[in-house]
Amino acid sequence: MSKYNVVAVTTNDYKRQAKQRLPNFLFDYIEGGANAEQTLQANTADFKRYTLRQRVMRDVSAVDTSTTLFGESLSMPLALAPVGMAGLFARRGEVQAARAAEKNGIPFTLSTVAICSSEEVQSATNQPFWFQLYMLRDRALVLDMLHRAAASGCKTLVFTVDLALPGMRLRDYRNGMLGGSTKGKISYLTQLFTRPGWLLDIGILGKPHSLCNLKHKVESASDLDRYKAFVESQFDPSATWKDIAWLRNNWSGNIIIKGIMDADDAKAAVDAGADGIVVSNHGGRQLDGVSSTIDKLPSIANSVGQQTKVLLDGGIHNGVDVVKAIALGADSVLIGRSWVYAMAAQGEAGVNKLLALYQQEIAATMGLMGVSRIEELNSDVIERFNQPFNNPLS
Ligand SMILES: Cc1cc2nc3c(=O)[nH]c(=O)nc-3n(C[C@H](O)[C@H](O)[C@H](O)COP(=O)(O)O)c2cc1C
């Protein structure tokens, strides 16, 4: 039987379906990483080096996957990571994902460069979303976004610090998304017409495609190229830890600093007053050659102890990966591509099924390890460092 006609049960099943629905340049934009994609590959591969400890006869009749994070009760230690332009992967994609997150009892993070605005997401959901911020040169615009997010009920800010400069995502150049060559533009337009379903459902009926949190700042509000140029000219490479103090003065909720890959930076984030950090290399999309996040997690978590919440993203494909990350020191994880593939493949229903599967997998894994509560997952339950393993279901 073809791999495409099966019931999707893994992130890679959704990925294959997403590849069939999306124009190639969009699929590559999601799938790709920076430069030679070494870090992208390591993020996933390194999870397979860790093995779990199996304990038996420990009464696991009431396994509980729930946890509390920043005062919110979560059905499991997982949140949807911010993903830019998600409204190009499914119609009003951010709204669909936020609804699925709410239904499954976990947070959704809205990107600075989302297609849907804070107000649009708020009006479609009851649960507060998390808002992700890039530091832009135009501080008045940053303040405007913060006020709008707060007015929309958001209490948790995810401040991304690993994008001082845009990473070199070579697939985007190859597909004509970046670089501005005529050959590239022709290639990009040709790819659009190979996916008529996408063209109608999202390309036409999914409009407007403007980056709605920024639209009053860009002259031609319907032109994505202008947005890209605007956003790239706005990333502020001069930002330092001092800017966190400015942010603190202008944001009364929690601040999570996303993009920490070094124990010294983790300590600096704590000193700057971060309520949480995300051990993240932007899904391998920024600095190629940096370690995988799962390999960095134990030393970073040890360096900050209980002073701040530690989250992790990068390479998580299933509930077993989540359990490993929690055991190695994370309080929670975020998933990026995993939810995007499910949404591009099957919309909100796909994200709902994916999240239900994550929870089932976390519960089954904990039960089979003889563990009933998330707090019991610690370094004692990770048994050894092993050779990478290839999953036959992938
Ligand atoms: C298509 C795509 C767009 C992304 N856009 C953003 C963004 O706007 N802001 C941000 O902080 N991170 C962004 N990220 C990074 C994710 O938040 C997250 O760190 C990463 O996807 C985690 O790795 P994973 O995809 O292996 O789960 C993006 C990732 C992808 C794949």
Side-chain angles (χ1 to χ4, degrees), residues 26-32 40 43-44 80-86 89 109-114 132-134 158-163 169 235 258-259 278-285 293 312-317 334-341 358:
L26 277 185
F27 177 78
D28 266 358
Y29 169 69
I30 300 166
E31 163 81 344
L40 172 67
N43 273 353
T44 308
L80 301 191
V83 166
M85 301 197 292
F89 314 142
T109 316
L110 184 69
S111 165
T112 293
V113 288
Q132 177 267 324
L133 178 76
Y134 285 124
V158 177
F159 178 44
T160 301
V161 293
D162 58 9
L163 216 139
R169 303 181 198 153
F235 285 128
K258 174 173 181 280
V278 188
V279 178
S280 174
N281 52 34
H282 218 101
R285 298 163 77 78
T293 52
L312 168 133
D313 72 19
I316 292 181
H317 280 203
L334 296 98
I335 52 172
R337 293 179 182 83
S338 185
W339 75 259
V340 174
Y341 292 138
Y358 265 96

Side-chain angles (χ1 to χ4, degrees), residues 294-322:
I294 196 68
D295 268 3
K296 280 284 175 186
L297 174 65
S299 60
I300 292 178
N302 278 336
S303 74
V304 296
Q306 299 300 313
Q307 299 176 86
T308 193
K309 293 286 177 192
V310 177
L311 287 75
L312 168 133
D313 72 19
I316 292 181
H317 280 203
N318 56 50
V320 180
D321 295 340
V322 177

Side-chain angles (χ1 to χ4, degrees), residues 45-46 48-49 386-390:
D46 287 352
K48 297 171 185 168
R49 294 176 174 276
N386 210 344
Q387 285 304 308
F389 153 83
N390 284 325

